[in-house]
Amino acid sequence: MDSAPALELDPLIDDRGTRIIVCCGAGGVGKTTTAAALGVRAAERGRKVVVLTIDPARRLAQSMGIDSLDNIPRRVDGIKGSDGGELHAMMLDMKRTFDEIVEAHADAERARAILENPFYQSLSAGFAGTQEYMAMEKLGQLRARDEWDLIVVDTPPSRSALDFLDAPKRLGSFLDGKFIKLLIAPAKMGGRAGMKFLNVGMSMMTGTLGKLLGGQFLRDVQTFVGAMDTMFGGFRTRADATYKLLQAPGTAFLVVATPERDALREAAYFVERLAAEEMPLAGLVLNRVHGSGAARLSAERARAAAENLEEGRIVDQGAGKTGVRGSRVNSPEPSPLATAAAPAQHSQDEHVEHQADPTAAYEAAPTAEHRADPTAEHDPDVEDIRQLTAGLLRLHAERMQVLAREQRTRDRFAALHPEVAVAEVAALPGDVHDLAGLRAIGDRLTAGRVPPA
């Protein structure tokens, strides 16, 4: 991963030509936090930003100090920006967005008939693909208003995060499908021909489907299709326009992942899919990367030292040598164990206690002189220090194994996609739940690489 180009995010958000940033990736990798942190940082650097989340978990609202988010952009207080920077946030309300489209593109009578139609109510509340299509509709609306000069989009928490790329095609397939055409045909044909078609063709179809779905359901669908017929072309046109907007130079996609095998496998899928769709990829944000301040002390040496302490043998402070009980070993230079510190850094999403400094505990451990004293062997304080030091050494060994595994995973991704620029975000000890935490993430997003093990 060290050979991969560095992803510079400050120049990206400072560039006034960047109008849309889309954060995508697998579930649980920190997309919402990344989107919010970018929004805060961009606003405090002078941009007028709106963050659109499609994640129903409402973490974005909580981290920005807002009671709740809805389909209307809400101003975020506490932004310490200059040059007129502002931050707004909103969460997609799929049904309300669909209702707004109907109200905007149909007369009052037809709009009321559509909104009250049972089939429409089911469709707008959860029909497959509706969420992705409405996300594109809302993105297109925000961009058309030109009220914000940067829109940051937080996509759904799964591989379906890229399903909105298929929304125009899937909507077109649905609207152009044989079933819909059959339902529309009687109204379009009119006269006797239409009545004949209705009596013969439709009676056969509705007779069969009516047994499966219910006659009332089919009548609701026919009513819906008849009322929506004049709006279908507008759906396709707007979806296609938003799709082209996502391909435009002013858009940047960020793939978000963690240094875990499954997450980076999903990241590779996103990278390849975006390339196939000719979408502009800015790079990979690698979240929750762990580091160590005592990287010179290997897992093997730390584990061996812990075993020596637990077995009562002497762990020397010079060159990592061991001796027999009661002997003295003089060493002019301290070993890595005696000089390294290992502060723990854990996931933003998990509350894990920090790993203490193994050096401090080690230096307080019993020396050869202490062990030569028979009373020291049974000193409870000495025994406690010995056990504490051994425990810290084992924690450090586990940490170094995590670092090695993460490095191997990152290297495999870099070998497959050496052209993808990478920004690494060092792990925080706890969850992000306020603007201060989002600022900390923003600082780490732009800090460069996490020091390797």
Side-chain angles (χ1 to χ4, degrees):
M1 188 65 76
D2 294 338
S3 62
L7 173 59
E8 302 289 343
L9 287 171
D10 276 344
L12 178 68
I13 62 179
D14 289 343
D15 183 0
R16 297 287 170 161
T18 303
R19 303 298 303 275
I20 299 173
I21 296 177
V22 182
C23 298
C24 56
V29 296
K31 291 188 304 300
T32 300
T33 303
T34 299
L38 286 172
V40 171
R41 191 170 185 87
E44 295 189 335
R45 295 172 72 89
R47 302 294 298 270
K48 295 186 70 173
V49 189
V50 59
V51 179
L52 167 63
T53 182
I54 311 172
D55 183 356
R58 301 183 183 274
R59 291 188 298 270
L60 182 61
Q62 296 168 358
S63 65
M64 293 184 173
I66 300 175
D67 292 335
S68 63
L69 292 178
D70 54 24
N71 221 36
I72 301 173
R74 305 290 179 183
R75 179 79 176 264
V76 177
D77 296 325
I79 296 300
K80 303 174 181 178
S82 59
D83 302 324
E86 296 179 7
L87 178 62
H88 294 75
M90 63 179 297
M91 186 176 74
L92 178 71
D93 184 329
M94 180 177 62
K95 187 179 187 311
R96 184 59 203 150
T97 301
F98 210 151
D99 292 349
E100 290 172 355
I101 296 170
V102 172
E103 293 167 349
H105 296 91
D107 58 63
E109 183 178 350
R110 178 168 291 193
R112 185 173 60 256
I114 294 171
L115 296 176
E116 294 175 355
N117 183 275
F119 179 74
Y120 167 79
Q121 293 173 2
S122 297
L123 176 71
S124 60
F127 194 78
T130 305
Q131 184 185 51
E132 290 77 16
Y133 177 78
M134 291 305 144
M136 292 193 70
E137 278 278 353
K138 183 55 67 176
L139 175 59
Q141 291 174 11
L142 293 173
R143 184 66 179 85
R145 286 171 62 176
D146 211 29
E147 183 176 345
W148 301 276
D149 57 28
L150 178 61
I151 303 169
V152 183
V153 182
D154 166 37
T155 56
S158 67
R159 179 173 283 200
S160 65
L162 285 183
D163 282 352
F164 65 86
L165 299 178
D166 294 325
K169 298 176 184 176
R170 291 198 297 173
L171 182 70
S173 298
F174 172 72
L175 299 178
D176 293 332
K178 293 181 179 179
F179 178 65
I180 296 297
K181 287 181 177 178
L182 282 171
L183 294 175
I184 296 175
K188 287 189 172 181
M189 294 177 69
R192 294 183 177 179
M195 290 302 295
K196 182 178 180 181
F197 179 91
L198 178 63
N199 290 335
V200 180
M202 289 299 290
S203 62
M204 294 175 61
M205 183 186 73
T206 56
T208 303
L209 292 178
K211 294 178 182 178
L212 297 174
L213 305 175
Q216 183 59 48
F217 173 80
L218 287 177
R219 285 190 291 273
D220 291 339
V221 173
Q222 286 177 290
T223 303
F224 165 76
V225 171
M228 290 285 288
D229 184 28
T230 57
M231 297 177 58
F232 286 162
F235 278 107
R236 280 191 292 265
T237 300
R238 290 190 303 276
D240 290 340
T242 305
Y243 186 84
K244 290 185 174 67
L245 185 65
L246 292 173
Q247 292 178 313
T251 298
F253 281 82
L254 291 176
V255 176
V256 184
T258 55
E260 301 293 335
R261 183 181 60 182
D262 291 344
L264 279 174
R265 184 185 296 118
E266 290 291 290
Y269 162 78
F270 283 111
V271 168
E272 293 160 7
R273 176 71 192 280
L274 289 169
E277 299 285 345
E278 298 182 349
M279 299 290 174
L281 173 65
L284 171 71
V285 172
L286 200 59
N287 262 334
R288 305 171 194 151
V289 177
H290 293 88
S292 173
R296 289 185 304 154
L297 177 61
S298 69
E300 292 75 14
R301 293 188 62 193
R303 195 176 295 107
E307 291 173 356
N308 287 342
L309 279 171
E310 290 169 342
E311 294 173 6
R313 296 198 297 268
I314 296 173
V315 181
D316 188 59
Q317 296 189 36
K321 296 178 182 178
T322 59
V324 295
R325 187 179 302 177
S327 66
R328 290 190 61 178
V329 181
N330 296 321
S331 174
E333 297 182 1
S335 71
L337 174 61
T339 58
Q345 294 173 320
H346 285 280
S347 165
Q348 294 126 313
D349 291 334
E350 297 176 352
H351 294 287
V352 184
E353 293 185 359
H354 278 287
Q355 192 174 319
D357 186 343
T359 305
Y362 175 80
E363 289 176 345
T367 61
E369 291 91 341
H370 291 141
R371 296 204 175 119
D373 182 356
T375 61
E377 281 296 317
H378 303 289
D379 187 336
D381 292 337
V382 171
E383 181 63 26
D384 288 345
I385 292 172
R386 181 191 303 170
Q387 294 301 319
L388 173 63
T389 304
L392 292 176
L393 287 166
R394 290 194 179 279
L395 283 174
H396 177 74
E398 292 174 4
R399 167 53 57 87
M400 295 306 294
Q401 287 181 317
V402 169
L403 265 61
R405 184 178 68 248
E406 289 184 358
Q407 189 64 51
R408 289 193 300 270
T409 306
R410 291 147 66 189
D411 288 344
R412 281 196 294 269
F413 178 89
L416 289 172
H417 300 283
E419 77 287 354
V420 176
V422 179
E424 296 181 359
V425 182
L428 286 176
D431 292 331
V432 173
H433 53 79
D434 54 19
L435 287 177
L438 292 176
R439 289 190 187 100
I441 292 294
D443 291 340
R444 294 179 182 223
L445 273 167
T446 56
R449 298 285 166 76
V450 175

